[in-house]
Amino acid sequence: MTTITDLEAPEARDVRRLAEELEIRTGAWIDGAYAEAASSETFAKINPATGVEIAQVAAGDTEDVDRAVRGARAAFESGVWSRSAPRQRKKVLTRFAALIEDHADELALLETIDMGKPIRDARRVDVPLAAQCIAYYGEAVDKVYDEVAPTDPSAVVMIRREPLGVVGAVVPWNFPLMMASWKIGPALATGNSVVLKPAEQSPLTALRVAELGAEAGLPDGVLQVVPGFGETAGQAIGRHPDVDMITFTGSTEVGKLFLRYSGESNMKRVALECGGKSPHVVLEDCGDLEAAAQAVAWGVFYNQGEVCNAGSRLLVHESVREALLERVVAVAGKIRPGDPLDPKTRMGAIVDDRQLERVLGYIETGRSEGAELHLGGSRVLEETGGYFVEPTIFDAVSNEMTIAREEIFGPVLSTISFTDDAEALAIANDTIYGLAAAVWTSDVTKAHRWGRDLRAGVVWVNTFDAGDITSPFGGFKQSGFGRDKSIHALEKFTDLKAIWINVG
Ligand code: NDP
């Protein structure tokens, strides 16, 4: 395995220089400064590519969350941000986005050593898209108008959108900076204060970005970051009586907990993005098998398969199954796990040892339930101390098997073949999830019909995982509710108020 010290490419030399200079922020960010946890407790941050500890991070708990919420509430009530002119918020958020871009190399490096994704992806995808997201909401906010209701002329009824107050954002470890930006961009743009809890596996970029937000001009208290564990800090945010809304991305299991926390506390609003088991359907008339194979492979192996909308169920017409799988295996051959800090690496490390065991456990279950292991299936590069799993493909999977039903969150593809389109549609929709789905066909009528009939928040036709900040993202069924991205995300961070003025 290549290490960062023996890489020759100029880009790799940059990574090495940056790694030597890297400063890691480890405190909670509360009221404009880094702070230890009230308990002084910390937790170890392990680099998943080496198994080596890289930092001890403040383990925030109820007291820290309480302090962060109090500061966020005080900032909100003061009006310093919540009642500032939209144009002023635009100015700060645009600067914030520019600072993220200016620190792209540093943030990409932090993301990579924190959660194991290839530096190439962190630098080219995660950081630029996070900056783009913050800028988009900054730019949008002074272009949205309120409304006047068409009542009779004796009244003027203004329908205003107002910020909710304090928003709790709890995010996962697969795209730490990007998920945080999907929450804080629209929440801040609409005037809310935010208390962000990154996942325990990936707190580093959130902590650094909070400081950049302050440098951009976010007033103290408007963006607080409390690292810590889900059961403690996450639950404290979910149950806090002075948090007005939760915006969450993560597992369905924890999403349901947030609904319970809300019901047992102050009935705060909850928006959930809870992952999926997305069907990737290749019909007999798929026009371009090579393109479909590329999409199928990258659709499940990108980001080590740790993607909520991963196309983890391949539904393929029996007549093209062999030809497609042959091509998918060829593409997978180029996605070998390697050192995430090597700019040439296309697949990094699984986020931690627990997730590694989970992924390997699902592979074992697939075998024992009778699926045929077609490719991979093993942990690799064990000598590095890191948590790497090779691209894995199962064939002869039935939709009843565990590997076709549960979210694995690893590089594991389950192949189910069919001979009848109606049967394929039923299988595609036979899941508790409904985040995303895709279909490959050269028949325009079928494309429209499948677009209509697949039960998912995002349906791709003849592509996979295409996205844009202008396009809403979120799920049907137990993939959650509420949408991230696009102008619609502004709605969930605001409330409607009708102000009725009697004009006789
Ligand atoms: P979780 O759903 O547990 O984590 C998501 C976020 O919720 C993290 O910030 C986590 O904090 C927090 N959290 C965890 N438990 C609680 C709790 N009891 N109360 C409040 N907040 C909590 O995902 P995991 O990391 O455990 O991963 C398990 C599985 O979840 C994965 O294998 C995958 O299937 C799925 N998942 C789906 C994601 C998606 O985007 N759809 C993202 C991540 C995971 P902390 O990490 O600090 O405990």
Side-chain angles (χ1 to χ4, degrees), residues 191-428:
N192 297 283
S193 296
V194 176
V195 177
L196 169 68
K197 194 203 83 66
E200 71 198 59
Q201 296 89 342
S202 57
L204 301 186
T205 46
L207 292 172
R208 177 66 177 115
V209 150
E211 195 181 24
L212 296 179
E215 197 179 324
L218 283 178
D220 291 354
V222 167
L223 174 58
Q224 317 271 53
V225 183
V226 183
F229 300 113
E231 292 77 10
T232 51
Q235 176 159 198
I237 295 174
R239 291 189 181 278
H240 202 289
D242 208 24
V243 169
D244 299 286
M245 182 207 177
I246 290 291
T247 173
F248 167 82
T249 296
S251 60
T252 289
E253 194 187 339
V254 175
K256 288 178 180 177
L257 286 180
F258 276 102
L259 291 172
R260 186 187 312 160
Y261 300 156
S262 166
E264 288 174 0
S265 58
N266 61 341
M267 223 162 89
K268 55 180 67 67
R269 277 128 221 268
V270 180
L272 303 173
E273 198 272 89
C274 293
K277 195 73 197 173
S278 303
H280 199 154
V281 185
V282 180
L283 299 181
E284 188 172 20
D285 63 6
C286 164
D288 186 346
L289 266 192
E290 184 53 44
Q294 290 280 345
V296 167
W298 285 107
V300 69
F301 300 137
Y302 184 72
N303 210 49
Q304 307 72 244
E306 297 164 336
V307 180
C308 47
N309 60 256
S312 51
R313 282 189 301 149
L314 168 63
L315 274 58
V316 57
H317 194 278
E318 186 52 41
S319 64
V320 292
R321 184 181 60 88
E322 225 175 286
L324 181 76
L325 274 186
E326 198 176 297
R327 288 171 169 81
V328 175
V329 168
V331 181
K334 298 189 189 113
I335 316 176
R336 300 305 303 167
D339 181 355
L341 287 173
D342 180 342
K344 293 190 285 298
T345 294
R346 302 307 307 273
M347 180 186 270
I350 299 292
V351 73
D352 62 11
D353 51 353
R354 200 183 59 160
Q355 187 65 15
L356 173 77
E357 288 313 317
R358 193 180 149 98
V359 173
L360 295 175
Y362 275 115
I363 292 172
E364 195 39 51
T365 304
R367 278 195 176 114
S368 65
E369 289 184 2
E372 281 170 23
L373 189 60
H374 190 77
L375 181 76
S378 300
R379 178 179 184 181
V380 291
L381 301 173
E382 210 168 332
E383 69 283 3
T384 61
Y387 318 123
F388 297 90
V389 175
E390 58 188 337
T392 295
I393 300 176
F394 278 106
D395 195 4
V397 176
S398 88
N399 204 44
E400 281 63 50
M401 290 180 187
T402 309
I403 56 168
R405 303 209 78 78
E406 297 184 12
E407 191 176 35
I408 298 175
F409 238 58
V412 183
L413 179 67
S414 298
T415 309
I416 301 168
S417 60
F418 64 87
T419 48
D420 173 74
D421 284 8
E423 174 202 0
L425 180 65
I427 295 171

Side-chain angles (χ1 to χ4, degrees), residues 54 85 95 117 129 147 150 202 351 353 367 476:
I54 48 173
R95 214 182 291 142
K117 72 171 62 207
L129 291 187
E147 298 162 12
S202 57
V351 73
D353 51 353
R367 278 195 176 114
F476 288 7

Side-chain angles (χ1 to χ4, degrees), residues 4-69:
I4 52 167
T5 45
D6 57 24
L7 290 171
E8 287 311 319
E11 220 182 331
R13 276 201 299 277
D14 290 347
V15 173
R16 187 176 57 207
R17 181 182 49 73
L18 261 166
E20 278 161 10
E21 293 167 0
L22 190 67
E23 243 185 82
I24 295 179
R25 273 70 171 174
T26 56
W29 178 263
I30 301 179
D31 299 339
Y34 288 109
E36 275 191 12
S39 65
S40 303
E41 294 288 321
T42 58
F43 62 93
K45 207 12 261 159
I46 307 289
N47 178 346
T50 59
V52 171
E53 180 182 317
I54 48 173
Q56 283 283 333
V57 176
D61 204 333
T62 311
E63 207 177 326
D64 307 283
V65 166
D66 198 43
R67 201 182 135 211
V69 172

